[in-house]
Amino acid sequence: MKHIILAALLAVPLPAAADDEAAILTTIKGIATAADAQDWSRLDMKFGDHVTLNQLSLETDQGARVKERTVIEIWAELLPRFDSTRHEISQIEVLGVSSIVARATARYHATYDLGGQTWEQTGRLDYVLKNTDAGWRVVALNTTPEWENRHLSDLFMPEQPQNS
């Protein structure tokens, strides 16, 4: 019985200690910075060995879960296709921390430019982080878009000439 109670207490996230919260914020902010810089090795240091990624899309109303490929492989294939990208992360809130796992949420605004066209999306990010020997690493990331100015795939379609 004593072990069951102890296990239950360890599973309940507690308020974050200041050091843990600072490290978690650094990890989350670092993902956006490294992605925009296309610094894949620095980005790789922000994720765990196995990551569950669910990037929802307003275009398809469904997500893409990563199983065999890594987040970095997917982003390294996608992001260089744009002239520029900007990921702004705000309102980061650490929801709870145990000695090995943490949950956090944030708001995002993503802007991708390609050939004079811009795609923008805003929404919510939900994170699960694991405390490793190398620090806090994201092991699950859920993207919930709430608004976008157009479908991302529209940037890759040739402009249709307008009839006069």
Side-chain angles (χ1 to χ4, degrees):
M1 178 69 168
K2 182 177 167 182
H3 296 292
I4 293 171
I5 293 171
L6 181 60
L9 288 174
L10 290 175
V12 175
L14 302 171
D19 290 346
D20 286 329
E21 187 164 341
I24 290 165
L25 294 175
T26 298
T27 297
I28 290 172
K29 290 177 184 176
I31 290 171
T33 304
D36 288 337
Q38 296 183 20
D39 186 341
W40 312 124
S41 61
R42 188 171 53 159
L43 186 61
D44 190 42
M45 294 173 20
K46 305 296 181 193
F47 288 99
D49 292 336
H50 302 286
V51 178
T52 300
L53 175 67
N54 190 23
Q55 288 190 282
L56 296 175
S57 166
L58 289 176
E59 186 170 3
T60 62
D61 289 332
Q62 53 187 313
R65 292 198 185 275
V66 176
K67 291 187 180 169
E68 290 91 29
R69 299 176 67 201
T70 69
V71 175
I72 290 84
E73 287 173 334
I74 292 168
W75 290 356
E77 184 180 306
L78 175 67
L79 297 181
R81 296 172 68 185
F82 296 95
D83 298 331
S84 67
T85 64
R86 187 173 61 254
H87 296 88
E88 299 170 19
I89 307 300
S90 64
Q91 300 175 23
I92 302 170
E93 183 179 355
V94 178
L95 302 173
V97 178
S98 72
S99 60
I100 54 172
V101 69
R103 291 184 316 114
T105 187
R107 306 287 307 157
Y108 74 90
H109 182 128
T111 305
Y112 292 15
D113 294 311
L114 180 65
Q117 298 182 73
T118 300
W119 170 81
E120 292 182 74
Q121 186 181 79
T122 60
R124 188 183 81 242
L125 298 166
D126 296 296
Y127 301 88
V128 176
L129 299 97
K130 182 179 177 186
N131 195 359
T132 70
D133 291 339
W136 286 98
R137 301 295 180 250
V138 172
V139 294
L141 174 57
N142 190 67
T143 304
T144 305
E146 297 167 352
W147 171 87
E148 61 186 13
N149 66 330
R150 66 190 325 160
H151 296 309
L152 183 59
S153 62
D154 292 348
L155 266 63
F156 296 107
M157 299 179 73
E159 296 257 353
Q160 298 297 320
Q162 296 187 4
N163 296 336
S164 301

